[in-house]
Amino acid sequence: MEITRPRGTRDFLFKEMKKRKEVEETLKKIFETYGYHEIKTPIFEDLKLFTLKSGEEIVKQIYHFKDKANRELALRPELTAPVARLYLNEMRKHPKPIKLYYYGSCFRYERPQAGRFRQFWQFGCELMGAESPQAEAEVIALAVHCLRELGLKEYKLHIGHLGILRGILEDAGIKGEPQDRIMGLIDKGDLEGLKLHLENIKADKTVKNLLLSIIGMKGGLEVLENLESMVGSCEPALESIEDLRRLVMLLDDFKVEKYNLDLGIARGLDYYTGIVFEIYVPSLGAQKQICGGGTYNLIELFSGEKIQSTGFAFGFDRLVAALKRQENEIFQFAKVFVAPVSDSTRPSAYRIVQGLREAGIPSDVDLSSRKLRKILSYADHLNVEKVVLVGERDLKDGKVTVKDMKTGTQELVEIDKIIEYLKEE
Ligand code: HAM
């Protein structure tokens, strides 16, 4: 009988572990530079901790079980609720703000696919008892600082505010469960489901149209100008817009330069109340979100004590995947591909590519005796910047044609000057 791993779980061998350790160490260093202290909470908790305010989607995905004494327990699907519990059990009297960080595995019964697992790791933090919007600005700066230190190049930071959508819904008398359900559908990007739900709860047409236009709004500060005129006299929404504007001013001081305001962020967990943010790596495809966070009121919900908290968690597995992908792009692909136009020019092509390699230019050459069309399509697949076309007629003049793969432009270059030319380019 062969026993296999449970679906949605992975084994990690040494190479993978080495990379994960490296990323973990870098994140620890940066979190500690911002004054955070590491904590650890149990892998399983009382089921109620997660059913109270985690949101319909997460509750459906919880791994729960009864222990031998009939207690209802759950494997943690995330770490914010456990940290709020830890605060209430252990740290109530500590001077605020309190800065905690964690690294640990989480469990969600999801449909497994690339980047979506049933056991995955989160590296995150919670800042409790600091004021808005400076708390959010520092927390966002920490997330961005980590990505910079790890050398991640392509990522997009999106920032929104749940007070805007929730304010409009509240004003229209849509509260509690129907409101949470709307936020859940927006988070999933389920527009059809959203329209149907709005119809089912008989939402006013103007509210429905307003909601549908707001969730598509993305961009710079100008988004907020337009929004202000749209929400009219809805006080909570206007206050939230002002919150966002103040945050944007502060981001500059915290050296966060690139971001997108995105009013369609709803977050999949129901405990958020204020500023929220997500970070995406588009090349990861469907599971591109590597980080999510924002301001929430879980402690108030559990105990009545009003402590503003803000935090975020990196999806550690997705972060490592994005970094590995980037390394492959850097190491795997040559910068230049040398393409013999006909078989007779192959020896010259080999001599040229060896010359480029000796000069330290990462280069590749056709070794499969393919026709030019196929060679070019292979070079395109490798994502090279330039193709050196070695043709018989050009060779007679001591020249080759260099094709820029991005712009499509071609230039005749003397073979003696090719290294100089490619280095300059
Ligand atoms: P979340 O967005 O549900 O937020 O999860 C945080 C990150 O965990 C996601 O951005 C994603 O990268 C990763 N993640 C989620 N589910 C999976 C999965 N099935 N497989 C792989 N990665 C996954 C939270 O959990 C909040 N507690 C974050 C937070 C902290 N908010 C405030 N403080």
Side-chain angles (χ1 to χ4, degrees):
M1 185 180 67
E2 194 193 351
I3 301 175
T4 52
R5 279 190 311 263
R7 226 166 103 70
T9 65
R10 288 152 299 157
D11 297 310
F12 300 106
L13 296 190
F14 16 90
K15 234 172 134 184
E16 178 80 13
M17 278 313 292
K18 192 160 181 271
K19 181 76 199 164
R20 291 173 74 94
K21 275 276 162 226
E22 247 173 60
V23 176
E24 182 190 336
E25 290 308 319
T26 305
L27 293 179
K28 277 189 168 170
K29 187 181 82 189
I30 306 297
F31 276 65
E32 285 172 13
T33 308
Y34 278 68
Y36 283 80
H37 302 284
E38 186 171 12
I39 45 123
K40 241 187 191 20
T41 60
I43 283 195
F44 60 87
E45 297 266 3
D46 189 324
L47 175 64
K48 280 200 296 295
L49 183 64
F50 304 111
T51 48
L52 222 53
K53 202 64 186 172
S54 286
E56 193 188 11
E57 197 60 23
I58 299 276
V59 171
K60 272 199 289 188
Q61 296 169 345
I62 287 180
Y63 275 92
H64 61 96
F65 57 97
K66 278 191 182 160
D67 72 2
K68 293 188 197 309
N70 246 357
R71 295 181 193 94
E72 296 254 33
L73 299 172
L75 295 182
R76 61 185 181 202
E78 56 106 35
L79 278 131
T80 305
V83 173
R85 182 208 41 74
L86 170 144
Y87 165 81
L88 289 169
N89 294 164
E90 312 283 345
M91 302 191 76
R92 257 180 146 148
K93 297 212 161 67
H94 276 240
K96 318 260 176 331
I98 299 173
K99 291 179 156 183
L100 305 175
Y101 82 90
Y102 48 80
Y103 173 53
S105 54
C106 301
F107 304 83
R108 294 184 191 176
Y109 193 81
E110 300 205 69
R111 200 163 44 78
Q113 64 181 88
R116 188 158 77 184
F117 309 103
R118 289 184 174 169
Q119 181 187 14
F120 61 97
W121 275 256
Q122 284 192 351
F123 200 117
C125 66
E126 311 299 339
L127 166 57
M128 297 180 225
E131 295 264 304
S132 246
Q134 52 269 38
E136 288 95 345
E138 197 198 62
V139 158
I140 292 173
L142 166 59
V144 169
H145 194 147
C146 288
L147 298 181
R148 212 172 36 233
E149 188 73 13
L150 287 167
L152 187 71
K153 294 201 177 80
E154 302 282 336
Y155 62 86
K156 291 191 157 59
L157 163 64
H158 283 219
I159 305 173
H161 197 309
L162 291 192
I164 300 169
L165 293 177
R166 287 201 187 271
I168 291 168
L169 292 169
E170 205 82 21
D171 235 28
I174 305 169
K175 303 173 192 222
E177 204 274 326
Q179 185 186 111
D180 288 345
R181 182 146 175 73
I182 290 176
M183 301 305 278
L185 290 164
I186 297 175
D187 180 59
K188 277 203 288 182
D190 183 358
L191 263 189
E192 286 317 304
L194 176 63
K195 286 180 192 161
L196 198 71
H197 178 62
L198 289 170
E199 254 159 52
N200 287 344
I201 61 169
K202 302 199 167 40
D204 184 85
K205 212 168 172 191
T206 24
V207 173
K208 184 178 155 190
N209 290 340
L210 183 61
L211 208 66
L212 292 173
S213 348
I214 289 181
I215 60 177
M217 291 174 80
K218 295 184 184 45
L221 261 181
E222 75 286 351
V223 164
L224 299 186
E225 312 290 318
N226 298 341
L227 189 64
E228 223 155 36
S229 56
M230 285 164 70
V231 301
S233 59
C234 176
E235 239 357 277
L238 288 171
E239 271 170 32
S240 305
I241 295 173
E242 197 42 42
D243 254 12
L244 259 184
R245 192 173 280 124
R246 282 169 47 224
L247 171 72
V248 166
M249 301 304 165
L250 275 179
L251 285 179
D252 209 34
D253 299 329
F254 276 92
K255 296 193 181 336
V256 176
E257 280 146 16
K258 278 195 248 154
Y259 53 83
N260 247 307
L261 295 179
D262 180 346
L263 305 179
I265 299 183
R267 307 286 297 130
L269 297 143
D270 281 352
Y271 48 64
Y272 295 102
T273 49
I275 284 161
V276 283
F277 65 100
E278 294 183 341
I279 302 178
Y280 313 118
V281 174
S283 61
L284 288 181
Q287 306 307 318
K288 64 180 179 186
Q289 192 190 308
I290 58 157
C291 177
T295 290
Y296 56 90
N297 68 356
L298 260 183
I299 294 173
E300 190 180 351
L301 218 86
F302 289 157
S303 68
E305 207 176 319
K306 212 177 168 85
I307 305 228
Q308 183 184 304
S309 308
T310 298
F312 70 86
F314 284 119
F316 190 81
D317 311 82
R318 293 184 191 171
L319 180 56
V320 171
L323 290 166
K324 279 174 60 183
R325 203 184 171 83
Q326 181 177 293
E327 277 167 20
N328 284 346
E329 270 166 21
I330 295 167
F331 294 123
Q332 213 170 3
F333 301 134
K335 215 173 131 192
V336 177
F337 199 91
V338 181
V341 172
S342 57
D343 282 341
S344 61
T345 63
R346 283 184 182 275
S348 306
Y350 301 145
R351 273 197 298 277
I352 291 170
V353 82
Q354 285 307 94
L356 298 183
R357 288 165 175 168
E358 275 158 23
I361 300 173
S363 333
D364 216 337
V365 66
D366 178 64
L367 297 173
S368 312
S369 306
R370 284 191 272 214
K371 292 262 179 289
L372 185 63
R373 192 171 51 80
K374 288 232 163 117
I375 297 177
L376 288 178
S377 119
Y378 180 67
D380 198 36
H381 160 79
L382 288 188
N383 216 4
V384 295
E385 291 168 24
K386 308 264 186 226
V387 170
V388 176
L389 295 157
V390 188
E392 221 165 298
R393 211 172 319 140
D394 290 347
L395 269 185
K396 279 194 189 124
D397 300 332
K399 290 180 178 163
V400 283
T401 300
V402 180
K403 177 173 173 155
D404 186 313
M405 295 299 274
K406 257 200 204 113
T407 59
T409 53
Q410 302 201 8
E411 210 171 318
L412 262 180
V413 181
E414 284 177 37
I415 296 179
D416 292 347
K417 302 221 169 101
I418 185 85
I419 291 172
E420 217 176 299
Y421 174 85
L422 289 172
K423 278 198 161 164
E424 259 173 33
E425 288 283 306

